[in-house]
């Protein structure tokens, strides 16, 4: 993931060093010992120890009795103020809940993060097919419905990078040829929706649609993932697009567009 | 709230200064200009500008075109790794969804944060009574069902502080007498549930129950808020307690207890 590589810039500032400690924690390694923090960040152990202590004092990290560190609740609390999670999720949740109640399947809200799709909200239930999506975690763009939507409406430079980067194969149906993916993206822009049939998980089918902010910038994607045996994109597409349009309409009322960073 | 007061410690470290900038953002002021950051944190503007720039570069902050700063998506992503939000919410959500589907009312998951109740998850729908609870935001302990549960099972020192601090009145029914609140807390411990009848919002009734981790430490509260005209604690209490017990049972399987910080 984007924050896994240690930042070994020699001139790294103190703030940069403290942030690199926070960046050492990922969904795959949510708890770290000091020696691991030191190894991942490239910081000497005494420096890592001192900075981790300051992060614990503020509440950005918690230190367990066995000396392990993990992310603290205060960081979640402050992070929850991010409009791209808070505003977007608050607005999207009622629409996601409606879609869940009608389908009883996985309903996802996702945004672009580096060159991946980051899931910021999810509804699912006991009857939904199990898929490897978790709130706060990422998946590749080319093998998910939400990812294809976000990629199709992303800047050309990012599309080029993804199209000509490594397209990892997850199933026999995963699109790994740049030309095929490029044509799929044209189709997403033409139809206003993306489909993925067993391209990430065997047995799963996903349908996704873009969510726009007030500037008509695509800021997120809404996706529905169901059993490929039971569903058909033609049947579910209109429901997903309708919900995505409802979210876009509400988002357009926001005074500050979500995509409006400098 | 706990992070509102500027930290003017003269010996504050660089990390402490950078963190104080993050702490300047609250639900009431999610977007700040540089001059406001400087005023809230007590940092000179050039220092605040330099540190904010580093926080933007890392993704902890975003800078809008008009120069306003807000919390960045990367901070939400890292903050989502906090077990007291991530593990707890992942485990609690199916139980919360069940309770929502049965009642169609507000279902809350809350934890203790400083001397307040912090809402980490919420389910509600168009038919639910509107209440002033939001994910990532806080309310007082003495006037909410979840707050009374968390207070009842909190360390005596915190109970003393809250009982003898200012008990703000929200409605005619808000408990503002320490003796009355103290007796209410005894009752919460005796019955394993708390009720609040129009003590925060007129027309709203809440029922809450404790959630335990593997060490039998109360780590969260589950609450149901409904119309006081339509519901009765005796009728809803068993449902809330049953769901809270289900969450506790699942939590007990976690290798690291949520309450296990040093």
């Amino acid at each position: 993931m984007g924050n896994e590589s240690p930042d070994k810039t020699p001139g790294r500032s103190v703030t940069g060093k403290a942030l690199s400690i926070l960046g050492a924690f990922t969904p795959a390694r949510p708890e770290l010992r000091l020696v691991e923090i030191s190894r991942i960040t490239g910081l000497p152990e005494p420096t890592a120890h001192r900075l981790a202590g300051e992060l614990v004092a503020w509440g950005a990290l918690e230190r367990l009795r066995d000396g392990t560190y993990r992310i603290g609740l205060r960081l979640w609390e402050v992070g929850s103020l991010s409009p791209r999670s808070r505003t977007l999720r608050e607005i999207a949740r009622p629409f996601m809940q409606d879609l869940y109640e009608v389908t009883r399947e996985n309903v996802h809200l996702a945004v672009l993060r580096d060159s991946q799709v980051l899931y910021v909200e999810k509804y699912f239930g006991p009857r939904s097919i199990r898929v490897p999506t978790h709130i706060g975690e990422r998946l590749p763009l080319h093998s998910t419905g939400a990812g294809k939507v976000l990629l199709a409406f992303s800047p050309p430079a990012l599309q080029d990078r993804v199209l000509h980067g490594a397209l990892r194969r997850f199933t026999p149906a995963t699109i790994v040829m740049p030309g095929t993916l490029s044509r799929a993206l044209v189709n997403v822009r033409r139809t206003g929706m993306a489909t993925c049939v067993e391209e990430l998980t065997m047995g799963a089918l996903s349908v996704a649609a873009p969510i726009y902010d007030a500037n008509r910038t695509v800021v997120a994607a809404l996706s529905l993932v169901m059993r490929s045996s039971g569903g058909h994109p033609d049947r579910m597409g209109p429901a997903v697009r309708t919900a995505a349009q409802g979210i876009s309409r509400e988002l357009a009322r926001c005074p500050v567009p979500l995509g409006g960073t400098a």
Side-chain angles (χ1 to χ4, degrees), chain A residues 151-168:
Chain A
L151 185 58
F153 294 97
S154 69
L158 175 62
Q159 296 194 23
D160 286 347
R161 200 159 69 239
V162 172
L163 283 165
H164 302 105
L167 297 173
R168 185 178 156 198

Side-chain angles (χ1 to χ4, degrees), chain A residues 5 7 34 56 160:
Chain A
S5 58
D7 169 12
L34 188 65
V56 168
D160 286 347

Side-chain angles (χ1 to χ4, degrees), chain A residues 58-222:
Chain A
W58 188 77
L61 293 182
E62 292 175 354
R63 190 169 181 273
L64 301 182
R65 292 191 191 98
D66 68 0
T68 310
Y69 293 90
R70 61 189 189 188
I71 295 294
L73 190 62
R74 184 164 185 188
L75 207 66
W76 175 80
E77 191 180 5
V78 175
S80 298
L81 298 173
S82 165
R84 277 202 283 163
S85 85
R86 183 169 177 239
T87 312
L88 181 62
R89 294 165 74 209
E90 267 185 19
I91 288 173
R93 291 186 69 171
F95 295 94
M96 295 178 71
Q97 196 158 308
D98 291 344
L99 198 54
Y100 168 76
E101 291 190 13
V102 168
T103 64
R104 299 278 149 179
E105 283 294 0
N106 299 271
V107 181
H108 297 110
L109 180 68
V111 299
L112 188 66
R113 174 93 176 84
D114 300 335
S115 306
Q116 295 179 300
V117 48
L118 170 66
Y119 292 89
V120 294
E121 190 56 271
K122 177 177 179 175
Y123 279 79
F124 67 106
R127 286 199 266 156
S128 317
I129 182 173
R130 284 297 193 107
V131 285
T133 49
H134 300 276
I135 295 174
E137 297 194 20
R138 309 187 199 174
L139 283 173
L141 291 171
H142 71 285
S143 56
T144 56
K148 280 189 199 171
V149 163
L150 295 169
L151 185 58
F153 294 97
S154 69
L158 175 62
Q159 296 194 23
D160 286 347
R161 200 159 69 239
V162 172
L163 283 165
H164 302 105
L167 297 173
R168 185 178 156 198
R169 179 181 289 288
F170 292 91
T171 69
T174 308
I175 299 178
V176 293
M177 303 294 287
T180 313
L181 182 56
S182 182
R183 280 190 298 279
L185 298 181
V186 169
N187 210 37
V188 171
R189 286 187 291 267
R190 192 178 56 77
T191 61
M193 59 177 267
T195 57
C196 251
V197 184
E198 305 193 330
E199 294 166 40
L200 176 73
T201 309
M202 291 306 291
L205 162 80
S206 89
V207 182
I211 293 170
Y212 297 86
D213 73 0
N215 291 339
R216 295 299 293 169
T217 303
V218 172
V219 290
L222 183 72

